[in-house]
Amino acid sequence: MLKRKTAIVTGSNSGIGLGVAEELARAGADVVLNSFTDRPEDHALAADLAARHGVQVRYIAADMSKAADCRGLIEKAGGCDILVNNAGVQFVAPVEAFPTEKWDQIIAINLSSAFHTTAAALPGMRLRGWGRVVNIASAHGLTASPFKSAYVAAKHGIVGLSKTVALECAGEGITCNAICPGYVLTPLVEAQIPDQMKVHGMDRDTVIREVMLLRQPSRQFATVEQIGGTAVYLCSPAADQVTGTTISVDGGWTAL
Ligand code: NAD
């Protein structure tokens, strides 16, 4: 379905970004993987994905906390048809104790990077008359939790950016939407489970259900494959008129 389309996925050497890249490659897209590191294993990920799906995959290192790197990524890739803004970090502290450098870093990586990459990618999409911008927001783009001020502000911001870009491109074959995942089982989240089991004296299933997924009514994690599948849907003809909106993949979190 996505043959001859090129997709750039920021922050895609692990977790949701890698899962989205996998599903886009499975659908036939050529893919550009990215993170701020430039290790042999990053390039090996690209070679593995290419071999398994018979598509072209490159890894381009670029630091999404830096405006010039964000714009440089799009330039080095030679533009793209599909842009998935996924790179993101988290830090948790009360507002009055939130370190300024952490606030600046989260706003830069989780929000400003999407502005810079989108601005750089849109001219090429307009020339070709087709484009998809998919922003990985969060349930925290629609609701808040205490101690996550920068993350919640950035994720609400990216929902607003998605709507604005959608309006500016309406009728040009270019859509822009935000996917809002709840808790997704990524390696990062998986690594927290043993600690949580120890702290709460619970077995794996109980700590997942009663502690980690307290706000997710399904009491089940979303998976990276499901987020990837949602991104593929947004790139499909069925979603041609889906623009400027959010799609929650959160087991009912935001319905509460
Ligand atoms: P992750 O830590 O596995 O992935 C984050 C990715 O961003 C990694 O590839 C990392 O290398 C990259 N990254 C970090 N800083 C970067 C920088 N300066 N430049 C370039 N790349 C950088 O975490 P994840 O859970 O897969 O998160 C991916 C996205 O999904 C984030 O935007 C996150 O906010 C969002 N999200 C995650 C969950 C969840 O439960 N895991 C829920 C909702 C939203």
Side-chain angles (χ1 to χ4, degrees):
M1 181 181 82
L2 297 177
K3 279 209 167 56
R4 287 181 298 279
K5 303 286 189 207
T6 297
I8 299 176
V9 186
T10 71
S12 49
N13 65 352
S14 77
I16 291 173
L18 187 55
V20 169
E22 178 92 36
E23 295 311 313
L24 291 171
R26 196 191 307 284
D30 295 325
V31 175
V32 174
L33 298 177
N34 153 264
S35 186
F36 59 92
T37 51
D38 202 1
R39 306 164 302 179
E41 52 263 48
D42 296 320
H43 295 272
L45 275 178
D48 173 58
L49 200 58
R52 283 188 296 105
H53 295 293
V55 295
Q56 289 182 22
V57 185
R58 289 172 286 165
Y59 177 88
I60 301 179
D63 184 345
M64 293 297 105
S65 69
K66 301 190 172 106
D69 272 35
C70 296
R71 290 171 187 266
L73 170 63
I74 307 299
E75 211 172 289
K76 281 182 195 158
C80 61
D81 306 292
I82 298 162
L83 171 63
V84 182
N85 289 303
N86 166 79
V89 291
Q90 174 66 285
F91 188 82
V92 178
V95 169
E96 65 271 35
F98 212 94
T100 300
E101 65 275 14
K102 287 290 179 193
W103 171 275
D104 289 344
Q105 185 200 32
I106 290 175
I107 298 298
I109 297 172
N110 297 20
L111 176 58
S112 301
S113 69
F115 159 70
H116 296 300
T117 54
T118 303
L122 278 182
M125 291 179 179
R126 283 201 161 107
L127 274 179
R128 293 184 289 277
W130 195 92
R132 293 287 180 268
V133 181
V134 179
N135 293 321
I136 306 299
S138 165
H140 283 114
L142 303 167
T143 63
S145 295
F147 315 124
K148 296 184 176 176
S149 54
Y151 188 83
V152 170
K155 294 299 186 181
H156 275 68
I158 205 160
V159 168
L161 175 67
S162 306
K163 293 179 185 177
T164 306
V165 171
L167 293 179
E168 291 187 19
C169 299
E172 292 186 72
I174 300 166
T175 67
C176 180
N177 294 285
I179 298 176
C180 295
Y183 235 128
V184 182
L185 190 54
T186 61
L188 204 79
V189 173
E190 180 69 52
Q192 296 168 19
I193 296 175
D195 282 349
Q196 294 281 355
M197 287 167 63
K198 233 182 272 165
V199 169
H200 295 279
M202 293 174 174
D203 63 28
R204 181 184 163 90
D205 286 350
T206 311
V207 90
I208 289 173
R209 207 177 46 249
E210 303 301 333
V211 179
M212 302 181 79
L213 295 177
L214 204 57
R215 294 181 69 182
Q216 202 146 306
S218 67
R219 301 294 169 110
Q220 289 164 350
F221 287 113
T223 65
V224 299
E225 291 80 7
Q226 290 161 356
I227 308 302
T230 307
V232 170
Y233 158 70
L234 286 171
C235 296
S236 74
D240 276 357
Q241 293 301 317
V242 178
T243 194
T245 194
T246 57
I247 299 186
S248 291
V249 187
D250 67 2
W253 178 334
T254 47
L256 273 176

